[in-house]
Amino acid sequence: WDKHEVKTIDDAYFYDNLEDPYQKNKIKLEDNPDVSEKLLSHLAKLLEKTNDPWFKEKKYSDLIPYL
């Protein structure tokens, strides 16, 4: 889907792999902002560390807190 020049992410979520190992229940970012902030911050650091194209372009910066 990324090849279609998507500019925003309309639906972002994560799963609780301990309580929901089969990933049947999506957790919206806004439903758990503390965990979401930590996960997205970690994602930003990993994207920077690997010099990922998303980091280079600051893709989805409205969601991912790049430094």
Side-chain angles (χ1 to χ4, degrees), residues 21-58:
Y22 297 105
Q23 299 185 340
K24 294 184 177 184
N25 302 299
K26 295 177 183 178
I27 302 170
K28 291 185 177 185
L29 297 180
E30 58 268 13
D31 291 345
N32 198 328
D34 292 337
V35 171
S36 298
E37 183 179 337
K38 289 177 186 175
L39 288 172
L40 291 168
S41 178
H42 187 64
L43 174 62
K45 290 175 187 173
L46 291 174
L47 292 172
E48 179 180 16
K49 182 178 180 179
T50 59
N51 204 26
D52 188 274
W54 279 24
F55 173 75
K56 293 177 188 176
E57 299 171 22
K58 302 297 189 264

Side-chain angles (χ1 to χ4, degrees), residues 8-19:
T8 62
I9 297 175
D10 295 330
D11 190 23
Y13 52 86
F14 61 93
Y15 296 97
D16 183 337
N17 287 333
L18 298 178
E19 297 294 323

